[in-house]
Amino acid sequence: MPNDLSAALAAAAATLSAASDVTLLAHVNPDADALGSALALGLVLHRRGKAVRVSFGAPESVPETLRGLDVAGLLVPASEVPAAPEVLVALDAGSVGRLGPLADRVGAAGAVVVLDHHVSNPGFGTVNVVDPEAEATALVVLRLLDELGAELDEPVARCVYAGLVTDTRSFRHATPSTHEVAARLLAAGVDAEAVARPLMDSHPFGYLGMLAKVLSRAGLERGAAGGLGFVHAVVTLEDAAGLRPEEVESVVDLVRTTAEAEVAAVLKELRPSCWSVSLRAVSRVDVREVAQVLGGGGHRLAAGFTAEGSAGDVLARLRAALESVAG
Ligand code: 5GP
Ligand code: MN
């Protein structure tokens, strides 16, 4: 580990050890890495007698598949996050904006600890532990837990595992040392199948009908993305009616299997004329750069942005950004 990262970890541990009240925030529309990371650290701090709350700016409800990670009841609605937290911890948020409606707490907090793995993170905290080499923020959190001398028992290990298994796509993007971390988590009692199946492999029957509609309208542009191929699909509010965000978020995992396309995109309608867009690449296009052109961010092979307009308008802007990066 580089020296500056070790120093940042020590500073983060010192800040948290001295705190009596800690607010942990995941990014908007939190995934298993963001919320698992927050709950793992939150649980350890809660056991040390600190007042702890975990939250996120939007949506209002906690994703159903992540609720079971909160064994100590630490999750609170965004409306219960103090205006000026004593110590704020931001997890898996590559920029202040990713905290959404809670972004203003960063300027108001007594101290801000940033724990993240986005290469573009500007370091918006008073203490920044940002490791772009880490496959998941959960790994950064585990290092911090070790720095704090925390016991890694099953509930904590489960939260870390949830973030790790999803961000590494079931350990396909994991170094040998990350596999060793996984072994440590399993040895702590994590049931891998019981954690991963609800997160990655389980949907209500209505999912199949939604997929049938959405995938039948998918488009393939073989010449796009500099000739590497581009596949896209659109999930409208009508398509998603009655289904959870989990079903909508997983559409991109099917679209990305298209062999003729290096880049996959799924446009998810948030409200009329407003789209959250997921981008994925196989290996050769840096979709973070593409997302950044359009005001978003992410990682080299998984990124995203938010855009206004019709689906056709958003796709046209995306095509142009793809050509500017991959053309
Ligand atoms: P997903 O497609 O799973 O929602 O997001 C993939 C990655 O892209 C996330 O880990 C996050 O880093 C990034 N991302 C997704 N949406 C946005 C966005 O609207 N803005 C920014 N800055 N990054 C995003
Ligand atoms: Mn992550």
Side-chain angles (χ1 to χ4, degrees):
M1 197 182 351
N3 280 339
D4 51 347
L5 217 51
S6 300
L9 267 179
T15 300
L16 293 172
S17 296
S20 57
D21 186 298
V22 182
T23 300
L24 301 112
L25 298 183
H27 60 70
V28 286
N29 199 11
D31 58 10
D33 192 30
L35 221 48
S37 293
L39 288 166
L41 179 56
L43 187 53
V44 163
L45 297 174
H46 165 74
R47 287 173 179 163
R48 294 192 172 185
K50 300 175 195 301
V52 172
R53 64 195 71 75
V54 174
S55 194
F56 50 88
E60 269 175 33
S61 62
V62 180
E64 191 179 277
T65 46
L66 300 176
R67 283 177 206 161
L69 298 177
D70 183 19
V71 296
L74 303 177
L75 281 163
V76 303
S79 56
E80 288 176 28
V81 171
E86 179 191 328
V87 172
L88 184 76
V89 185
L91 298 110
D92 202 37
S95 61
V96 179
R98 291 285 286 156
L99 298 176
L102 294 174
D104 63 344
R105 305 306 200 274
V106 170
V112 178
V113 177
V114 168
L115 305 176
D116 188 29
H117 68 136
H118 289 88
V119 67
S120 55
N121 194 305
F124 59 87
T126 46
V127 176
N128 300 287
V129 191
V130 178
D131 182 4
E133 303 286 309
E135 297 97 330
T137 295
L139 286 173
V140 176
V141 165
L142 181 58
R143 276 189 234 141
L144 179 56
L145 298 182
D146 289 341
E147 182 79 22
L148 287 164
E151 186 202 347
L152 186 69
D153 63 0
E154 193 276 335
V156 175
R158 190 182 350 143
C159 290
V160 174
Y161 190 90
L164 195 52
V165 72
T166 50
D167 267 31
T168 58
R169 302 192 60 230
S170 303
F171 299 101
R172 277 180 283 180
H173 299 289
T175 60
S177 68
T178 297
H179 280 274
E180 283 170 18
V181 168
R184 197 180 151 205
L185 298 171
L186 296 180
V190 172
D191 179 339
E193 173 66 1
V195 177
R197 184 172 162 83
L199 287 173
M200 310 174 87
D201 286 329
S202 178
H203 299 283
F205 183 65
Y207 178 58
L208 302 183
M210 183 269 275
L211 283 179
K213 273 192 280 181
V214 167
L215 298 181
S216 72
R217 301 190 307 252
L220 173 66
E221 301 177 25
R222 292 169 193 265
L228 297 172
F230 172 43
V231 62
H232 46 79
V234 174
V235 186
T236 64
L237 287 170
E238 194 188 333
D239 296 323
L243 296 171
R244 308 169 303 171
E246 281 92 332
E247 278 68 62
V248 177
E249 294 305 320
S250 76
V251 171
V252 73
D253 289 321
L254 286 163
V255 175
R256 74 184 302 174
T257 61
T258 305
E260 295 89 341
E262 163 68 22
V263 177
V266 172
L267 278 61
K268 302 162 285 182
E269 191 174 26
L270 294 174
R271 49 183 186 278
S273 294
C274 182
W275 305 86
S276 166
V277 182
S278 287
L279 297 176
R280 300 291 186 268
V282 179
S283 62
R284 287 177 288 176
V285 173
D286 185 342
V287 287
R288 180 181 64 81
E289 275 186 48
V290 178
Q292 276 185 330
V293 170
L294 298 161
H299 307 287
R300 203 169 63 82
L301 302 179
F305 63 97
T306 305
E308 308 271 342
S310 70
D313 290 343
V314 174
L315 268 176
R317 270 178 265 152
L318 177 51
R319 240 177 245 119
L322 264 175
E323 290 320 307
S324 74
V325 171

